Amino acid sequence: MIIDDKRIRIIIGHYGSGKSEFAMNYVTKLRNEVEGKVALSDLDVVNVYFRTREKKDLLNSLDILPIYSSIDAPTLDLPAISPQIMSPITDSSYSYVMDVGGDNVGARVVGRFHELIEKADYDMFCVVNANREYTQSVEDVIGHIRAIEKSSGLKVTGLVNNTHLVRSTTIDDVLKGQKLVEQVSRQYDIPVKYIVCLEELVPQLPEGLEGEIFPIKLYMREAWM
């Protein structure tokens, strides 16, 4: 259960993995399960599309603190990070989710604070979409994880199977990704934490899969997309 994860949850994943979608679903579920303060920081200064900062009004309405650019100019794309991201790291009254950029360059942002994060205790989850180029093989996924770990100074503690084709996702897509992350888990000695799929696909999942089933809604994709 997400309530049992470490207080600071860092979400990483390659472009197109659905990292920000997972982060949005994760933080909203977390808000329902914990008391006290909850914050979500958007640290993606690399990819300009589908970022959690786009949902700041929704987050505020759910009593989740959104942290993003230090410049309040939503029509501009500037790699400016608010110093506010520090507060939930050092303030143990926060449950904190950090949505980090999609590659080792993006991970350098969180790497600036790795010593503080290590002291505060954390989980870092790697979101994997086996339908995306660059993360379709065990070697590719492990290479991605190693690059992120080197850049951030932090260790990945769990794998998230989020293999999808947005609204065209089938149960075969999910199981394809599950086979991949279970192989990565055995070779790199990282547990599979979550199996992400659309709510309507959950009844089709077989028993005995590694990881906790994590149904999601599509927050980051409008109905017409």
Side-chain angles (χ1 to χ4, degrees):
M1 295 180 63
I2 62 175
I3 197 172
D4 297 323
D5 294 337
K6 300 295 173 58
R7 184 181 67 82
I8 298 174
R9 291 92 159 169
I10 303 166
I11 313 298
I12 66 165
H14 222 298
Y15 307 119
S17 65
K19 166 184 62 68
S20 293
E21 191 72 80
F22 175 71
M24 275 295 300
N25 277 268
Y26 188 102
V27 79
T28 55
K29 291 178 190 290
L30 185 63
R31 173 72 283 173
N32 290 331
E33 295 192 18
V34 300
E35 297 181 357
K37 295 180 286 188
V38 175
L40 171 65
S41 62
D42 180 353
L43 302 184
D44 194 341
V45 297
V46 178
N47 181 23
V48 301
Y49 301 108
F50 304 115
R51 295 186 296 192
T52 50
R53 68 183 69 181
E54 299 170 11
K55 300 299 176 181
K56 64 177 182 177
D57 291 339
L58 173 61
L59 293 168
N60 279 319
S61 73
L62 297 173
D63 194 26
I64 299 168
L65 174 65
I67 303 171
Y68 49 101
S69 173
S70 60
I71 300 172
D72 189 11
T75 59
L76 298 178
D77 188 66
L78 299 172
I81 296 298
S82 170
Q84 193 178 15
I85 68 171
M86 291 285 293
S87 297
I89 295 175
T90 56
D91 185 346
S92 61
S93 66
Y94 272 99
S95 294
Y96 195 17
V97 179
M98 307 177 78
D99 179 13
V100 179
D103 62 7
N104 58 309
V105 175
R108 290 176 187 167
V109 176
V110 75
R112 293 167 53 190
F113 312 103
H114 75 274
E115 292 182 355
L116 286 174
I117 291 170
E118 285 178 326
K119 290 178 182 178
D121 212 5
Y122 71 96
D123 273 311
M124 186 157 73
F125 299 136
C126 180
V127 179
V128 177
N129 180 357
N131 283 332
R132 295 295 295 180
E133 189 180 13
Y134 307 124
T135 52
Q136 295 182 349
S137 71
V138 173
E139 294 74 21
D140 286 344
V141 175
I142 290 177
H144 175 62
I145 290 172
R146 285 176 172 158
I148 292 287
E149 290 181 333
K150 181 178 180 180
S151 183
S152 67
L154 301 168
K155 291 293 184 181
V156 171
T157 62
L159 299 168
V160 177
N161 172 23
N162 189 32
T163 301
H164 68 89
L165 291 170
V166 196
R167 290 182 178 84
S168 299
T169 305
T170 68
I171 197 66
D172 289 337
D173 292 310
V174 180
L175 295 178
K176 170 186 174 181
Q178 188 65 17
K179 180 179 179 181
L180 176 63
V181 296
E182 288 183 3
Q183 291 175 332
V184 172
S185 174
R186 288 191 291 271
Q187 290 198 29
Y188 207 62
D189 195 26
I190 305 172
V192 179
K193 286 290 296 184
Y194 298 110
I195 306 163
V196 178
C197 70
L198 297 170
E199 293 175 330
E200 58 266 30
L201 293 179
V202 170
Q204 300 180 44
L205 288 171
E207 296 182 358
L209 300 176
E210 295 179 27
E212 178 182 338
I213 296 172
F214 194 102
I216 64 164
K217 301 176 182 178
L218 295 180
Y219 287 105
M220 303 305 297
R221 300 268 183 165
E222 305 299 336
W224 56 269
M225 299 178 82

